[in-house]
Amino acid sequence: MSIESAAAAAQSKKLDKQIKSEVRVAKFQQTVKMLLLGAGETGKSTILKQFKLIYGSGYTAEERMGYKTAILANIVTCAKALVYAMDALKIPYGFEAPTNLSKDALGAFTKSHMSLNQVGGGSEKEREVKDDAGSDKSLGDIRDMGYVAKMAEEAYVTAGGENRQRGPSPKAAQVIRGCEMSFCFGIDESVPEEVIDAIKIIWKDSGILYCFSRSNEFQLFDCCSYFLNDIDRVTEPKYVPTDADILNSRVMTTTITETKIKIQQVLFRVFDVGGQRTERKKWVPYFDDVDAIIYMVAISSYDQVLVEDNSTNRLDEAMTLFASICNHPIFNSTAIIIFMNKIDIFKTKLKTVAISKYFPKFKGPNNVDKGSAFFASQFLALNSNAKRKIYVHFTWATDTKQIKKVLATVYQIITSSNLKGAGM
Ligand SMILES: Nc1nc2c(ncn2[C@@H]2O[C@H](COP(=O)(O)OP(=O)(O)OP(=O)(O)O)[C@@H](O)[C@H]2O)c(=O)[nH]1
Ligand SMILES: [Mg+2]
């Protein structure tokens, strides 16, 4: 090859490279492909709703009617879950959980239950508390030890168990059990009145409220108290869901959706997937050319098990899944941002539920700072590429104000990391 043609070839190669880089920049300036990944019920679809509310045009009247059906179904599903859990956990209607057991009462109860081992296995921790029964333990501690659960169980048997309890609440429970779930609500329609009345009755029942406090022992939507506390408004025939109602509603995702959202000059193609195990088989075809992943974790679920198998801890599952995603070679140059979500529920739960009971590696104290730092470090440690930076945010997905700030930061992270990838 002559000197001239070699120079021309070099020049052409340089030009090619430059064009390719420019195309990548131009492509990036137009679109960002983003996946919302994570296990079931972690808040992926809720974040997508926030994208639509913050950067899109919000919800039409027709879409709101669709959510009305979902919300009314959520209410009945939650009421049914509570009623069935009352029998599964053996709690009688009207059961009053002691809020503060006095030294004498707890001492007497402990004495009359010398076979405490039957209650919760008689672990060392339980024996410690048994010996120390008179000290001022918080309700959370007492529940952990199974004292109150045992009291409830005895009262349940005395009251006649599943079929022989009398009074308005057991009668209401009967109505809820018999309520059909296949409905679609139009304008001016709602749940049948007798079902609404029955739900109102049980939601005031002290036994149901105690059962609700043990909701980690069965499957209950996080939106239960949000909607049941507001049942009058939500079951009005002319009810139209607000943005907050839409954000709090729960519909499991079974079809992967793509939503296009323009933020400044960038078009985001946001893919929302179903997180439950059976849904994950559908993810792989969407893994090519991904610019960013928001990986959702429900940090509040440290004491809960999966809907899918009723035995695997939800955070253990979230970690296993995260390890397989962040170390997947196809995502080597993908920006990964973890949303440690449901921080509002996490804060409340920490007051009564010890992290160490489920994650013995956690050495406390059981507060938000220590707890959130612990879980963030557990996830970050799963990344085997030391050069890669993974970003973590603690989020409250149903709170538009907080998410607006978080998404602005995410926008910065994604756009700057993509520019870097394009050689800028
Ligand atoms: N209190 C509270 N509720 C939340 C938060 N994030 C999500 N939720 C609620 O949790 C429930 C589940 O949220 P989804 O967005 O449906 O979860 P998902 O990850 O899309 O679930 P799948 O579609 O099954 O994978 C809904 O009722 C949400 O309103 C949060 O930060 N705080
Ligand atoms: Mg979803």
Side-chain angles (χ1 to χ4, degrees):
M1 194 189 284
S2 70
I3 294 176
E4 286 81 8
S5 54
Q11 178 66 20
S12 146
K13 209 170 157 191
K14 198 174 156 198
L15 212 65
D16 262 7
K17 212 172 153 193
Q18 197 182 332
I19 291 167
K20 265 189 196 149
S21 172
E22 279 168 8
V23 166
R24 283 181 76 184
V25 173
K27 178 177 163 265
F28 158 70
Q29 280 171 347
Q30 287 162 6
T31 62
V32 164
K33 180 176 175 184
M34 178 194 268
L35 304 185
L36 293 167
L37 300 183
E41 270 185 285
T42 51
K44 299 178 292 300
S45 301
T46 311
I47 288 295
L48 180 68
K49 290 174 192 171
Q50 292 285 18
F51 266 107
K52 288 188 196 167
L53 287 170
I54 296 167
Y55 300 109
S57 51
Y59 289 95
T60 62
E62 201 181 323
E63 285 170 325
R64 284 177 202 273
M65 285 314 288
Y67 281 108
K68 175 179 173 177
T69 294
I71 289 163
L72 293 176
N74 283 170
I75 287 179
V76 177
T77 304
C78 289
K80 276 179 183 274
L82 285 166
V83 163
Y84 287 121
M86 288 292 275
D87 291 316
L89 301 179
K90 298 193 172 15
I91 301 166
Y93 290 94
F95 176 72
E96 301 270 357
T99 49
N100 200 354
L101 289 182
S102 71
K103 183 176 173 162
D104 289 349
L106 188 52
F109 183 79
T110 318
K111 249 191 207 142
S112 68
H113 291 75
M114 291 310 281
S115 58
L116 186 67
N117 291 357
Q118 297 164 348
V119 179
S123 67
E124 197 177 313
K125 198 171 160 204
E126 281 169 333
R127 279 194 297 277
E128 248 170 50
V129 173
K130 185 179 148 191
D131 296 342
D132 191 23
S135 69
D136 187 20
K137 295 282 170 192
S138 74
L139 181 60
D141 288 339
I142 294 164
R143 276 195 194 140
D144 273 356
M145 302 313 142
Y147 290 112
V148 179
K150 183 70 185 164
M151 281 179 180
E153 197 174 326
E154 285 187 359
Y156 177 83
V157 174
T158 310
E162 187 171 343
N163 300 317
R164 299 224 310 277
Q165 292 183 60
R166 298 273 170 267
S169 293
K171 224 168 129 190
Q174 203 72 34
V175 173
I176 292 164
R177 271 196 215 101
C179 172
E180 292 287 335
M181 282 300 294
S182 53
F183 30 48
C184 179
F185 301 98
I187 301 166
D188 292 344
E189 282 176 358
S190 193
V191 179
E193 205 134 313
E194 58 159 2
V195 178
I196 300 172
D197 290 344
I199 296 174
K200 282 190 206 166
I201 290 171
I202 64 145
W203 190 236
K204 278 196 216 118
D205 187 281
S206 53
I208 283 274
L209 296 182
Y210 167 64
C211 179
F212 176 73
S213 76
R214 290 174 58 188
S215 63
N216 69 313
E217 296 177 51
F218 57 102
Q219 299 296 343
L220 185 68
F221 294 159
D222 282 325
C223 58
C224 177
S225 59
Y226 177 89
F227 288 120
L228 292 198
N229 284 342
D230 225 352
I231 189 161
D232 283 328
R233 176 178 69 86
V234 173
T235 54
E236 267 288 305
K238 289 196 187 313
Y239 164 66
V240 178
T242 63
D243 290 346
D245 296 345
I246 291 173
L247 289 166
N248 278 281
S249 64
R250 162 71 181 151
V251 179
M252 177 186 159
T253 305
T254 53
T255 309
I256 297 180
T257 60
E258 176 184 355
T259 306
K260 293 191 170 107
I261 292 156
K262 188 106 187 256
I263 308 179
Q264 294 170 32
Q265 293 316 305
V266 184
L267 180 70
F268 279 74
R269 295 172 60 209
V270 184
F271 292 84
D272 178 30
V273 307
Q276 291 197 5
R277 283 181 182 172
T278 49
E279 297 304 312
R280 291 179 213 154
K281 293 182 196 106
K282 304 173 190 167
W283 292 9
V284 180
Y286 297 84
F287 281 2
D288 287 330
D289 297 325
V290 178
D291 299 298
I293 290 173
I294 293 184
Y295 186 82
M296 303 291 300
V297 177
I299 191 172
S300 59
S301 64
Y302 64 89
D303 65 338
Q304 290 171 259
V305 291
L306 292 183
V307 171
E308 295 94 309
D309 71 0
N310 254 323
S311 66
T312 309
N313 180 283
R314 289 195 186 198
L315 278 188
D316 281 336
E317 177 86 351
M319 286 184 212
T320 311
L321 182 60
F322 182 69
S324 68
I325 287 165
C326 82
N327 298 318
H328 197 306
I330 204 164
F331 297 134
N332 268 348
S333 56
T334 303
I336 297 188
I337 302 137
I338 302 177
F339 278 13
M340 292 279 180
N341 191 37
K342 304 200 182 181
I343 197 79
D344 56 319
I345 303 175
F346 184 62
K347 280 183 190 164
T348 309
K349 195 173 269 187
L350 284 174
K351 292 179 191 153
T352 52
V353 186
I355 295 174
S356 58
K357 186 175 169 194
Y358 301 89
F359 290 85
K361 265 199 262 172
F362 178 71
K363 296 298 174 214
N366 210 56
N367 62 35
V368 183
D369 287 349
K370 292 278 178 217
S372 47
F374 169 74
F375 284 119
S377 68
Q378 296 293 298
F379 277 86
L380 292 175
L382 297 168
N383 168 33
S384 54
N385 176 359
K387 282 193 198 140
R388 138 173 268 159
K389 180 160 171 48
I390 290 174
Y391 300 84
V392 178
H393 287 277
F394 296 96
T395 57
W396 177 5
T398 48
D399 185 88
T400 305
K401 232 164 110 186
Q402 199 240 15
I403 296 303
K404 198 170 180 175
K405 284 189 199 149
V406 174
L407 291 184
T409 314
V410 167
Y411 176 84
Q412 295 298 333
I413 294 169
I414 293 172
T415 49
S416 58
S417 70
N418 270 276
L419 284 170
K420 221 153 102 206
M424 301 281 287

